[in-house]
Amino acid sequence: MDGEDDRERIVLRSGLSIGWWPASITRAVHVSTAVLRARAAIDALTTPAESAVDLNIRKVAQHLGIACRAGFDATTATSLNAVLRLGTSITP
């Protein structure tokens, strides 16, 4: 039944697109603009988020009871990932 429903939707949308072709062009422009703006927003927000994490990662690890003796290395990162995974306990 799902395949038939999909085919019916495609046929209906194709019929509407043919009858309302200006709306199809407008929709394509809006979707492409939304995708480009979303990518730009994500790109703009990832740098500050990554910087905030880089600045505070040792404090977070120490607060969770993970020792950061020489710095934030691979062992510390593995321990922090194990604690922060969903379904695990935060208490050391």
Side-chain angles (χ1 to χ4, degrees), residues 53-81:
V53 169
D54 289 343
L55 287 173
N56 296 308
I57 195 71
R58 291 189 70 189
K59 291 178 188 175
V60 170
Q62 289 172 351
H63 182 70
L64 292 173
I66 299 170
C68 293
R69 293 184 189 101
F72 197 79
D73 57 356
T75 306
T76 308
T78 303
S79 300
L80 188 61
N81 284 338

Side-chain angles (χ1 to χ4, degrees), residues 1-76:
M1 281 282 181
D2 290 332
E4 291 177 14
D5 290 340
D6 290 339
R7 280 185 232 127
E8 289 175 6
R9 288 182 190 149
I10 291 171
V11 169
L12 287 173
R13 288 181 183 164
S14 298
L16 290 174
S17 294
I18 291 169
W20 294 342
W21 62 269
S24 298
I25 294 171
T26 304
R27 184 184 68 179
V29 169
H30 284 194
V31 168
S32 60
T33 302
V35 168
L36 291 174
R37 292 183 74 183
R39 287 185 183 196
I42 290 169
D43 187 43
L45 293 174
T46 53
T47 302
E50 186 177 355
S51 297
V53 169
D54 289 343
L55 287 173
N56 296 308
I57 195 71
R58 291 189 70 189
K59 291 178 188 175
V60 170
Q62 289 172 351
H63 182 70
L64 292 173
I66 299 170
C68 293
R69 293 184 189 101
F72 197 79
D73 57 356
T75 306
T76 308

